Amino acid sequence: MELEPLGIRNDVIEFDMFSLGVGDETIDIEHPIEGGENNQLMEPFDGIVSGRISGEVYGDRNLEPYEGMEFESEEAAKAFYNLYARRVGFSTRVSMSRRSRRDGAIIQRSFVCAREGFRVEKEKPERDGGGARIKRPRAETRVGCKAMLVVKIQNLGRWVVSGFVKEHNHELVPPDKVHCLRSHRHVSGPAKSLIDTLQGAGIGPSGIMSTLIKEYGGIRSVGFTERDCRNYMRSSKQRTLGGDTQTLLDYLKQKHLENPSFFYAVQGDEDHCMSNIFWADPKARSNFSYFGDTVTFDTAYRSNRYRLPFAPFTGVNHHGQPVLFGCALLINESKASFSWLFSTWLTAMCGKPPVSITTDHDRVIRLAVKQVFPEARHRFCKWHIFKECQEKLSHVLSENINFEAEFHKCVSLTESIEEFEACWFTLIDKYDLGENEWLQAIYADRKQWVPVYLRDTFFAEMSIMQHSDSINSYFDGYVNASTTLQQFIKLYEKAVESRYEKEVKADYDTMHIGPALKTPSPMEKQAAEIYTRKLFIKFQEELVETLTFLATKVDDNEATTVFQVAKFGESHKSYVVHYNVREIKASCSCQMFEYSGLLCRHILTVFRVTNVLTLPPCYVLKRWTRNAKSGLMLEEQTCNLLNSCQESFNVRYNNLQREAFKYVDEGGKDEECYQVAMDALREAANKVAIVKKTCAGVSNSGGTCKGVFATQESHVNNPFEARQLSGGPSTPVDEQDKKIQKLTWKLERARQKCELYRTNLMTVLKDIEQQKLQLTVKVQSIKLGMKG
């Protein structure tokens, strides 16, 4: 059944058609153009029993319309027909009207079935050069139904039924679904009050609908759908925010004027205060360049906990702390809005998509992520689903006190897909929940939220069991249920400054508080010098645990050795590690490194028994190190200063250098290879010299050097010319070649000096960056000392 959208409003907008008529007293109005938007669908009417039929109150709600039936007003007639339609199973709308030529008053109304007539397709305009947007085609609902009720006004002011057609040419809607029809969907005054109260308490649309269904005794008695509830809540947000959005826009404009790197964007017209807004300050954009491999889009603030409809993009820095990548103010929460938001955010982050993204379990957000980040691994927040569980399975939790703990254990503590599947179905059978639709839905989505399915992707979490601090926490302590948007503007800056101070404090601790080593292992000492303090402590835990683990070789071949790793006395709970001795690379069945970027105790155990004393470079992620924020931005800025010609030169130079080194390596092995390599290099040098000379001549004459090398190569095939070029008597050509070779040598020397200067400059800039960081830490230390 196709549901029609409902406009949430209290007033009734009447539709009237005017045309030139020939009568003296009335104007006949024909059917209007069928666009679906010009005809008013009938709204429910409170106080229906106020209408009168032949002087008597019509208290019988099972009464069927008939010609001659009288009503006190047009509204009473409309409400009666709509009540009749609800009982029968169809939706109604106002179709035609007739007005008096004397005073323009309406003297006749026609109320019809919503499926009356046929849609008239409007002629589509040609697309302009920019490509006009084409609206998504609406479903066809008109089938030419003739059912209708016509009422006329009499001299005494009463409205009388002058025509009634009962028969429909389509199936009618059964009573259990009639509340989905548009003319019967109505958010009543008491329902609005309850929605406002629950929304103010931070309850989302699903929770509000569940409460309303319980309060009214069923969805049919509620009288509207969850979509209508969402629409009303959105309009309520707009009324609550009021002009505060303009205050936010003024703030963002000023920030951008102060610093052009401050990015903000508004969906639609900037002057329209109800648009979605996104912004990212320079610090947030810089953070993304270092830690943008995994991102969390946190929408908990918009509905679950707070009335403030904003959603931050966050990540995790090298200290495991949450960092901000930008914020959004959400008014419209459609798929188009989320797609716009994600695309805008991607633009602000220089078009670099993340490896993984975590969001709430939301169908609309999932569609937008799939559209904008098709290559990113999309994960649903596990803790958001646990919260949904408390709502969707409240009856199960109240009857079974152990269910929630068993559910958590099944999801978080299982270590393989097979173990999770077995545990899940055991839990479902134990509590007889095989028919529960919500459990079926989240099981279908299990690959996007259950940890065992996500371990092969990086999410920057120190443990598979851990809940990342970046989720629902960046603005905790600054935003609460009573925070207004105007207040948030000030609190936003305080939160950002506080997070920055915590990062500086963590930098200070890393640089000045040396961790206590627990083993004589060179690897532990190496890790203490490389990782930040918090990350080293986590690595140290894994390393110390290797002392209680045993690694047993179960398979060995030329490429890979397979170990079975288990804790002493727990051989039944083992992990499989594949180790490549030649490349010093290993992979573990727990996949902790893939998930968190730190080596697990199982691989470290194998390294211990195979005498790998230091961390291989491939297992040290820069994003977890002390120098995570050094060098990268400086190098990127330097690269941006180089033009395309310089970049092309570097590419060519590197390629030639790489090929030349091959000759050097092979040519130096014995005398014969050395002679062959030297001859080849001399011949190549002569060919290059010829090409350069020819290019110079062509360039002086205004031409280009394209195809010269092929021409010169064919000349060298002539023995006479080859002798002249390589071994004959000295000629003017030879003198030019010598000059060219000398200039080429000088050019190469100059290039090498430039490269050396550039390297030295980069070193100096890195040192400046490091000194700047140290100075910031010292300043923070002084501040902390003064506070103490």
Side-chain angles (χ1 to χ4, degrees), residues 586-607:
S587 63
C588 180
S589 58
C590 78
Q591 296 182 303
M592 178 177 165
F593 180 77
E594 290 82 356
Y595 194 76
S596 68
L598 282 176
L599 282 176
C600 62
R601 59 195 63 180
H602 317 118
I603 290 179
L604 292 175
T605 299
V606 171
F607 282 172

Side-chain angles (χ1 to χ4, degrees), residues 575-641:
Y575 300 84
V576 178
V577 175
H578 291 78
Y579 175 52
N580 187 314
V581 181
R582 183 175 301 174
E583 298 180 5
I584 317 180
K585 289 185 178 181
S587 63
C588 180
S589 58
C590 78
Q591 296 182 303
M592 178 177 165
F593 180 77
E594 290 82 356
Y595 194 76
S596 68
L598 282 176
L599 282 176
C600 62
R601 59 195 63 180
H602 317 118
I603 290 179
L604 292 175
T605 299
V606 171
F607 282 172
R608 177 171 56 82
V609 301
T610 56
N611 297 322
V612 177
L613 301 181
T614 59
L615 280 171
C618 61
Y619 291 113
V620 180
L621 298 190
K622 186 176 181 181
R623 62 133 33 248
W624 291 135
T625 66
R626 297 169 176 233
N627 299 321
K629 300 177 70 172
S630 67
L632 176 62
M633 291 297 292
L634 293 173
E635 290 173 4
E636 289 180 350
Q637 292 170 359
T638 304
C639 290
N640 289 336
L641 296 176

Side-chain angles (χ1 to χ4, degrees), residues 270-416:
E270 240 182 70
D271 295 328
H272 191 271
C273 64
M274 295 307 168
S275 299
N276 293 322
I277 304 172
F278 168 77
W279 70 95
D281 59 33
K283 182 70 175 176
R285 302 177 74 183
S286 174
N287 283 334
F288 182 81
S289 67
Y290 302 119
F291 310 114
D293 41 18
T294 183
V295 175
T296 294
F297 178 57
D298 183 2
T299 53
Y301 297 94
R302 65 183 174 138
S303 59
N304 291 345
R305 299 165 66 184
Y306 308 107
R307 288 183 298 175
L308 192 65
F310 85 98
F313 292 86
T314 59
V316 182
N317 69 5
H318 52 323
H319 299 292
Q321 300 169 330
V323 289
L324 191 64
F325 297 149
C327 282
L329 178 70
L330 295 170
I331 301 298
N332 186 343
E333 299 174 13
S334 64
K335 174 182 176 294
S337 291
F338 283 116
S339 296
W340 171 85
L341 176 59
F342 292 154
S343 298
T344 303
W345 175 79
L346 192 60
T347 300
M349 301 301 123
C350 302
K352 180 183 176 182
V355 173
S356 60
I357 181 169
T358 303
T359 72
D360 282 351
H361 185 220
D362 186 286
R363 181 186 62 85
V364 176
I365 294 177
R366 170 166 39 187
L367 294 174
V369 169
K370 187 175 182 180
Q371 176 182 337
V372 181
F373 308 115
E375 302 299 326
R377 185 70 178 273
H378 183 196
R379 177 179 68 165
F380 298 134
C381 176
K382 177 178 63 175
W383 301 97
H384 179 255
I385 292 181
F386 285 160
K387 187 171 183 179
E388 275 189 342
C389 175
Q390 296 175 349
E391 175 187 318
K392 301 291 186 180
L393 302 179
S394 57
H395 62 290
V396 179
L397 298 177
S398 62
E399 296 172 1
N400 305 278
I401 60 174
N402 296 325
F403 175 81
E404 187 171 13
E406 293 182 38
F407 182 72
H408 277 257
K409 181 179 179 181
C410 175
V411 172
S412 300
L413 300 183
T414 50
E415 298 187 356
S416 68

